[in-house]
Amino acid sequence: MSQVVTYERQGQVGVISVNYPPVNALSHAVRSGLQDALKKGESDNDARVLLLVCEGRTFVAGADIREFGKPMQEPGLPDVIGKFESSTKTIVAAIHGTALGGGLELALGCDYRVALNSAKVGLPEVKLGLLPGAGGTQRLPRLTGAAKALEMITTGDFVDAVQAREYGIVDAVENGGDVKAVGLAYAEKVLGESKPKRPVRSLTDKVEADKNSSAFDEARAALRKRSPNLFAPFKCVDAVEAAFKLPFDEGMQRERELFMACMESPQRGGLVHAFFAEREVSKVPGLDKNTPVRDVNKVGIIGAGTMGGGIAMNFANVGIPVRLLEVKQEAIDRGLAVIRRNYENSAKKGRITTAQVEERMALIQPTLSYDDFADVDLVIEAVFEDMGIKKQIFGTLDKVCKPGAILASNTSTLDIDEIAESTSRPQDVVGMHFFSPANVMKLLENVRGAKTADDVKATVMTLAKRIKKVGVMVGNCHGFVGNRMLHQRGAEAVSLVNEGASPQQVDKVLTDLGYPMGQFAMSDLAGLDVGYRIRQERRKAGENIPESWTDKLAEQNRLGQKTQAGIYRYEEGSRKPIPDPEVDALIAQYRQEQGIESRAISDQEILERCMYVMINEGAKILEEGIATRSLEIDVIWIYGYGFPAYRGGPMFWADQVGLGEILARVKEFHKKTGGKQWEPSALLERLVAEGKKFGDL
Ligand code: 3H9
């Protein structure tokens, strides 16, 4: 028998233990180990009941995702689970940590389930573009009925042990203790009470009751609204419905067909790439994983505007006290009022309690004086993009902050090294670029300066996890990774409009690709003054940036959603962009002034120009070492800009489109326009010449 699964007997209980760190995933070795251990248990005449339990931090957290896309090695998981269910012996599963996906399916193949109260269970396959493919869609509904099963399987969300008991998924919940001891006690109880074997497949009351339920059509209608572009959630509904319409074995067959369809869909490839990429980015190449981190127990934030306030909330949410600094009392009052409103809205939606609103507000202490930063461990500057002001602020921080305090800037574009030079401690200076709204968006782009100390880099990466963000470490250049690529897309989108496209046509192409909003709706959300100010800074620095129609809008105080008018117009209280004839007229006038003859532009041209310009820039970013791996760019775009995770990120997407095809078009656009943005990246050329992909780097 394989060592990852062992069998031993304790009294009258035969114990099957899985030990396959880190998360006891159901690799081939675990599946065959389970099968062998079961055989041992069945032939052990002194074992009157069997217990399945896991070592380490968790119960089985699912199929081994690393085996996806490779030839399946027997035994398959559905067969192993089938053997547990049809075993001659009654089997108890004892759950701790997270019983997820194939892990929960394995537990559902047992007769009874007991869980520690800290445990969670779920079928998160849909988040990987899949559906539960080892009986989960057939067994879970037999315990929970249609509505709960549909909710769990189509969202992939976990439920805690107490909820799981309410739903009928687990039979008992125990407070704390050692999971094996809890499992043994429950197994003894099964014996003591002579509880019968109870295979889930044989339970029929819930499926009979919900046979004609409207829940399936309702679930499909909700999905058409929530995630119309996703493939797997609809297949999840089909599979669950089969549990109610077909006998168990036929339902299992239907589940298999639907599972294979998901497995083969490109969305599964994209989502699995995104899953691993999110975990890989936390391992920074060149940064020893044992690098010590600095203590961060108190944070100072400069600027109580939209960004500063959002950033403050992240720390208060995890119990870290914040000193929030502004220059004027009104600004601080306004900032705190916005934070309070955000928290109260969360409380209204039931996400936090009213007591938590007060606790979090109490953690955010306002101040008008830098002297209050004397004892903070980290300062994040979040004022607007003006190098002069930032240098002044960092000069002051250098004077007031204690030695070893980390001095971070939330700049979205400016040179971290230049900011660092205004202090006597550039080793403590780093970029921490949050994305708007900072309390919601999961990305934290951490920017290393030339002199940033390793322990500062390690600290900000660890801190990202602590405040529940996905941290990505990048190098220093104008706009870093995300905004540098975004600027290219933005400029191209403006050029497309100059040439004849409408803002709404450009935006639709991007939303059809799966972005939650297009370039222009996003500019309106961020505020047109942001881009305007950046362009003005660059013009001041001597760059030749021609005036565009978006500058004109900003100068007319059409700043986007916040003024209810920008590139689109907005009705009171609504965020829905409405095309505005006034803007069309302004664009037409701009074209006339520039002598541009408007032409019809195809959606395909918009897609290619908006995306390929980004891919070419992304390749240059890799070439320069600003990002070290293409998956960093993917994660930045998924978590910072809403790039559809089911396409795996822009660089993964480019690999699917084909780098040869992209390079050919980049060259054509370069020939046509001579634009620097279309100068082909040397890396892109090399990869195409070698027949390789970004993913091969
Ligand atoms: C499935 O079950 C299909 C079946 O229905 C049908 C089959 C026929 N496989 O997230 P962490 C690795 S689909 C392989 O940092 P945490 C992960 O890459 C599966 N590896 O820890 C990382 O490795 P590394 C359904 C896995 O404590 C390490 O474990 N299940 C798997 O923050 C630690 O992970 C899921 O979708 C896996 N299944 O969170 C569950 N899971 O150290 C996916 C994790 O080398 N997993 N790894 O970077 C999770 O949601 C979280 O990892 C979990 C732990 C909550 C378990």
Side-chain angles (χ1 to χ4, degrees):
M1 185 175 29
S2 143
Q3 285 181 335
V4 296
V5 185
T6 53
Y7 176 79
E8 57 164 352
R9 195 162 41 68
Q10 296 221 346
Q12 305 185 84
V13 185
V15 183
I16 298 172
S17 304
V18 182
N19 186 8
Y20 186 61
V23 297
N24 292 313
L26 292 155
S27 64
H28 173 246
V30 174
R31 297 194 305 273
S32 35
L34 282 167
Q35 189 168 272
D36 293 346
L38 178 65
K39 262 190 214 149
K40 279 206 166 183
E42 284 173 334
S43 57
D44 180 351
N45 292 334
D46 295 324
R48 293 182 55 211
V49 62
L50 301 181
L51 169 67
L52 171 67
V53 67
C54 293
E55 312 263 339
R57 65 202 238 203
T58 181
F59 192 78
V60 172
D64 191 337
I65 307 170
R66 291 179 202 275
E67 289 184 356
F68 289 176
K70 298 184 186 152
M72 217 285 291
Q73 283 180 281
E74 299 291 341
L77 186 57
D79 289 345
V80 174
I81 294 174
K83 285 185 177 140
F84 270 67
E85 189 171 58
S86 61
S87 168
T88 48
K89 301 223 164 144
T90 301
I91 309 178
V92 173
I95 297 173
H96 75 298
T98 45
L100 303 177
L104 179 58
E105 292 176 296
L106 176 62
L108 297 179
C110 299
D111 301 284
Y112 297 96
R113 286 155 294 281
V114 56
L116 297 190
N117 64 350
S118 54
K120 291 192 166 79
V121 306
L123 293 172
E125 285 87 343
V126 71
K127 295 187 178 172
L128 298 171
L130 287 171
L131 52 86
T137 65
Q138 305 305 296
R139 291 192 181 93
L140 187 74
R142 285 175 156 77
L143 294 171
T144 65
K148 292 279 180 282
L150 283 167
E151 186 187 315
M152 282 181 68
I153 293 173
T154 60
T155 64
D157 291 344
F158 307 165
V159 299
D160 63 34
V162 172
Q163 265 175 311
R165 187 182 46 201
E166 279 165 22
Y167 291 2
I169 302 168
V170 300
D171 303 287
V173 176
E174 295 297 336
N175 284 335
D178 167 58
V179 68
K180 189 166 164 191
V182 164
L184 282 169
Y186 197 85
E188 295 289 353
K189 185 175 143 107
V190 166
L191 273 181
E193 294 175 9
S194 305
K195 283 180 184 267
K197 189 164 172 66
R198 192 197 53 173
V200 173
R201 63 176 285 159
S202 66
L203 306 175
T204 51
D205 54 334
K206 295 266 165 60
V207 281
E208 279 305 320
D210 284 344
K211 212 172 194 131
N212 299 313
S213 167
S214 57
F216 311 107
D217 288 338
E218 282 161 19
R220 288 187 185 98
L223 289 173
R224 275 194 290 272
K225 272 202 186 143
R226 198 173 69 216
S227 50
N229 299 329
L230 291 179
F231 182 75
F234 292 94
K235 302 293 160 204
C236 287
V237 179
D238 294 350
V240 174
E241 190 171 24
F244 295 81
K245 303 273 155 77
L246 300 174
F248 183 82
D249 288 330
E250 283 175 43
M252 285 295 285
Q253 215 175 323
R254 181 83 184 115
E255 178 193 84
R256 180 105 301 243
E257 289 158 13
L258 292 163
F259 177 76
M260 291 317 293
C262 290
M263 200 52 139
E264 279 151 24
S265 96
Q267 294 194 354
R268 192 271 303 164
L271 286 163
V272 169
H273 170 76
F275 175 86
F276 284 119
E278 179 184 333
R279 280 149 185 86
E280 276 306 306
V281 289
S282 64
K283 302 162 199 156
V284 181
L287 187 66
D288 189 327
K289 68 177 191 323
N290 299 317
T291 307
V293 295
R294 298 188 188 178
D295 282 340
V296 177
N297 298 318
K298 194 168 186 185
V299 176
I301 292 169
I302 306 170
T306 319
M307 279 316 281
I311 296 170
M313 290 173 76
N314 287 304
F315 290 97
N317 292 351
V318 296
I320 301 176
V322 175
R323 278 274 180 197
L324 186 60
L325 183 139
E326 261 295 351
V327 278
K328 288 203 180 117
Q329 188 62 42
E330 303 109 76
I332 213 93
D333 292 344
R334 211 170 33 236
L336 285 174
V338 172
I339 295 174
R340 175 170 284 283
R341 203 168 57 230
N342 282 338
Y343 278 139
E344 283 173 352
N345 281 341
S346 297
K348 266 187 218 144
K349 289 178 190 149
R351 293 199 191 120
I352 55 173
T353 62
T354 47
Q356 279 171 319
V357 174
E358 297 312 323
E359 272 163 35
R360 292 177 191 194
M361 286 307 295
L363 283 169
I364 305 176
Q365 288 298 316
T367 177
L368 296 171
S369 164
Y370 277 92
D371 293 342
D372 284 329
F373 281 178
D375 64 342
V376 299
D377 305 302
L378 161 72
V379 181
I380 303 172
E381 162 278 309
V383 305
F384 56 80
E385 295 289 79
D386 181 312
M387 183 54 97
I389 295 178
K390 295 206 192 246
K391 280 184 172 172
Q392 215 179 334
I393 289 174
F394 275 75
T396 309
L397 292 177
D398 195 20
K399 292 197 191 91
V400 299
C401 291
K402 66 183 182 189
I406 297 175
L407 311 182
S409 172
N410 175 54
T411 178
S412 55
T413 49
L414 300 178
D415 185 348
I416 291 296
D417 291 331
E418 197 179 335
I419 295 174
E421 274 164 27
S422 56
T423 73
S424 63
R425 35 174 137 172
Q427 72 280 2
D428 297 336
V429 178
V430 70
M432 288 179 82
H433 178 207
F434 289 81
F435 286 68
S436 188
N439 52 318
V440 178
M441 297 300 284
K442 274 190 79 179
L443 180 64
L444 178 57
E445 200 181 31
N446 286 321
V447 188
R448 54 176 181 261
K451 294 188 182 156
T452 309
D454 277 358
D455 64 343
V456 170
K457 294 178 201 161
T459 305
V460 293
M461 289 301 288
T462 309
L463 206 52
K465 273 205 181 136
R466 207 167 143 204
I467 60 173
K468 302 189 167 55
K469 301 273 180 214
V470 180
V472 185
M473 179 59 70
V474 302
N476 183 28
C477 65
H478 187 86
F480 318 123
V481 171
N483 279 348
R484 178 167 156 184
M485 290 168 71
L486 180 70
H487 287 167
Q488 296 296 11
R489 190 187 78 177
E492 209 51 38
V494 169
S495 296
L496 283 158
V497 172
N498 291 347
E499 291 167 41
S502 65
Q504 52 274 25
Q505 187 194 0
V506 173
D507 277 2
K508 181 159 187 313
V509 170
L510 295 175
T511 51
D512 284 352
L513 188 70
Y515 282 101
M517 61 176 73
Q519 174 70 36
F520 295 116
M522 188 173 155
S523 304
D524 271 356
L525 174 69
L528 296 188
D529 47 334
V530 177
Y532 179 71
R533 222 179 255 134
I534 293 169
R535 286 191 294 280
Q536 292 294 72
E537 272 285 305
R538 294 173 66 185
R539 285 174 184 132
K540 259 198 262 169
E543 276 188 65
N544 175 23
I545 303 175
E547 205 201 16
S548 73
W549 51 271
T550 53
D551 290 329
K552 289 190 186 220
L553 290 173
E555 282 156 10
Q556 288 175 13
N557 202 39
R558 290 189 67 122
L559 302 182
Q561 285 192 18
K562 60 186 162 192
T563 54
Q564 281 182 255
I567 295 168
Y568 297 95
R569 67 182 184 83
Y570 299 86
E571 289 188 340
E572 181 75 47
S574 161
R575 291 173 177 277
K576 188 172 176 255
I578 304 170
D580 189 342
E582 274 183 37
V583 176
D584 294 341
L586 186 134
I587 293 169
Q589 193 193 342
Y590 175 82
R591 288 183 190 133
Q592 207 178 9
E593 281 165 15
Q594 301 291 318
I596 301 169
E597 200 168 316
S598 169
R599 67 180 171 94
I601 297 186
S602 72
D603 288 354
Q604 182 62 20
E605 180 175 344
I606 293 174
L607 178 76
E608 289 175 356
R609 283 175 57 184
C610 286
M611 285 303 296
Y612 296 179
V613 79
M614 276 182 31
I615 303 305
N616 195 38
E617 196 65 30
K620 290 176 188 173
I621 283 169
L622 286 168
E623 214 172 283
E624 293 165 23
I626 298 295
T628 34
R629 298 163 294 174
S630 58
L631 58 84
E632 290 163 0
I633 302 178
D634 289 335
V635 168
I636 286 172
W637 272 82
I638 291 170
Y639 290 112
Y641 302 86
F643 189 91
Y646 63 83
R647 295 197 195 273
M651 306 311 269
F652 183 85
W653 176 83
D655 279 346
Q656 317 307 307
V657 172
L659 298 190
E661 153 77 17
I662 293 177
L663 178 62
R665 298 293 285 147
V666 165
K667 284 182 170 168
E668 276 174 43
F669 292 130
H670 188 229
K671 208 165 150 195
K672 230 184 252 175
T673 64
K676 199 166 161 40
Q677 74 277 23
W678 291 115
E679 265 171 26
S681 137
L683 175 69
L684 185 59
E685 295 203 274
R686 176 166 72 77
L687 288 175
V688 172
E690 292 172 359
K692 287 190 178 152
K693 297 176 165 195
F694 289 120
D696 297 326
L697 285 171

